[in-house]
């Protein structure tokens, strides 16, 4: 069982992602914006982070960059989960340190496959 931090400012998106994560037998931690996500990542050191992009305070690109550059959290894979579906967004997200990019509305099988690929067996 992995500990997965879900960072999203939409309560319905948080709930939907949490359901998928828990259905797979993982523990879901949540944060409601990028700044809270960075703090939770440092405090909890989860096994993986699902990060929205469009959020108040610190957006997902900024939060991902902060997490991937910090020596205490750099080992944690970040998956951007966002409505931003342009190729330039994906390229930019990966350049910020994300390990994968999933677009909303999420396809559960795509998310499951991404988690399987990035989580240690």
């Amino acid at each position: 069982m992995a500990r997965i931090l879900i960072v999203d400012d939409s309560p319905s998106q948080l709930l939907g992602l949490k359901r998928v994560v828990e259905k797979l037998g993982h523990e879901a931690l949540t944060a409601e914006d990028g700044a809270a996500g960075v703090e939770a990542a440092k405090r909890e050191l989860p096994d993986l982070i699902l990060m929205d992009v469009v959020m108040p305070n610190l957006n997902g690109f900024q939060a991902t960059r902060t997490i991937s550059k910090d020596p205490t959290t750099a080992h944690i894979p970040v998956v951007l989960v966002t409505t931003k579906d342009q190729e330039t967004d994906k390229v930019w997200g990966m350049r910020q340190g994300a390990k994968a990019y999933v677009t909303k509305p999420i396809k559960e099988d795509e998310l499951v496959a991404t988690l399987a690929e990035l989580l240690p067996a």
Side-chain angles (χ1 to χ4, degrees):
M1 176 172 92
R3 296 172 72 235
I4 298 175
L5 173 61
I6 305 164
V7 185
D8 201 310
D9 61 327
S10 160
S12 61
Q13 291 289 337
L14 265 180
L15 190 62
L17 288 168
K18 189 174 177 186
R19 272 199 199 112
V20 173
V21 164
E22 290 176 343
K23 190 164 86 175
L24 293 170
H26 301 301
E27 180 185 348
L29 311 166
T30 60
E32 274 124 40
D33 64 45
V38 170
E39 288 308 308
K42 287 179 183 174
R43 184 179 63 248
E44 302 289 341
L45 297 175
D47 298 300
L48 184 136
I49 300 170
L50 298 175
M51 178 78 70
D52 185 23
V53 171
V54 182
M55 294 183 288
N57 300 327
L58 207 59
N59 71 41
F61 291 141
Q62 295 165 320
T64 298
R65 184 171 53 241
T66 301
I67 289 164
S68 66
K69 299 274 186 262
D70 186 319
T72 57
T73 54
H75 67 283
I76 304 168
V78 178
V79 177
L80 291 170
V81 182
T82 178
T83 54
K84 295 178 78 59
D85 61 358
Q86 299 299 306
E87 189 60 28
T88 52
D89 296 321
K90 182 176 181 180
V91 168
W92 183 246
M94 301 306 269
R95 287 183 63 190
Q96 303 316 301
K99 299 291 181 240
Y101 197 97
V102 177
T103 54
K104 292 178 187 175
I106 61 158
K107 295 174 199 69
E108 189 172 328
D109 56 340
E110 182 185 356
L111 183 61
V112 169
T114 302
L115 293 177
E117 183 184 315
L118 292 172
L119 287 170

